Amino acid sequence: MRLIAAIVVLTLVAIGAGALAGLHLFAAAERVADAKKGATPPPVASSYAGSARLRKLSPIVTNLASPANNWARVEASMVTDSMSDEDAGILAAHISEDIVTYLRSASVTQFEGTRGLQHLRDDLSERASIRSSGKVRELIIETLVIQ
């Protein structure tokens, strides 16, 4: 009988301690949530000057060199210095042609893993910078689908 009474008392103590700990954690979570509601997020710092513009390229669909039945679709944007919309449109068309040429000479194995995607991004950014005589600061690959 004493054993049962001891188990009941320990169970009640455990329930009480659990309830107190739960209430304490709930109150702490509410304080943190209230503090986050009142705080304003810091502004995002840009690594580009005020004259830089993000221009979206039209989606590019082409086949790859190896295996020949694989296709790639790339959606990309370019960060450019300030230029007229007409010049930017012409430059975007030339860069799209360069991307198609690059992809047609590439194989699927070149794009495997994070290193492959990083090399693709670096190669395409370098080609865009060369094509534009330095007016394109960066080429951003938004999506890459290979099927």
Side-chain angles (χ1 to χ4, degrees):
M1 190 65 171
R2 284 187 186 205
L3 182 63
I4 293 175
I7 291 175
V8 168
V9 169
L10 285 176
T11 303
L12 292 175
V13 169
I15 290 172
L20 287 175
L23 290 174
H24 177 69
L25 288 175
F26 183 72
E30 281 185 340
R31 283 193 304 268
V32 170
D34 290 340
K36 284 187 178 181
K37 284 181 186 175
T40 59
V44 177
S46 175
S47 60
Y48 301 111
S51 64
R53 289 195 53 198
L54 182 69
R55 300 176 192 271
K56 190 162 180 64
L57 300 175
S58 58
I60 300 163
V61 178
T62 186
N63 59 333
L64 299 175
S66 171
N69 60 349
N70 281 1
W71 288 78
R73 176 187 164 105
V74 177
E75 292 182 17
S77 297
M78 60 182 182
V79 179
T80 62
D81 291 330
S82 60
M83 57 182 7
S84 69
D85 288 337
E86 183 179 333
D87 291 339
I90 293 170
L91 183 59
H94 288 301
I95 290 173
S96 294
E97 290 173 5
D98 285 347
I99 293 172
V100 168
T101 304
Y102 180 83
L103 290 174
R104 283 191 175 169
S105 65
S107 66
V108 176
T109 57
Q110 287 179 276
F111 309 133
E112 289 180 351
T114 55
R115 281 199 162 177
L117 292 175
Q118 184 65 37
H119 287 304
L120 172 68
R121 188 178 86 73
D122 292 343
D123 288 345
L124 293 180
S125 289
E126 182 179 352
R127 285 174 176 253
S129 179
I130 291 170
R131 170 65 82 168
S132 68
S133 302
K135 292 180 184 173
V136 173
R137 297 182 185 183
E138 183 179 6
L139 187 77
I140 301 169
I141 299 173
E142 295 171 1
T143 60
L144 172 65
V145 179
I146 298 175
Q147 78 183 86

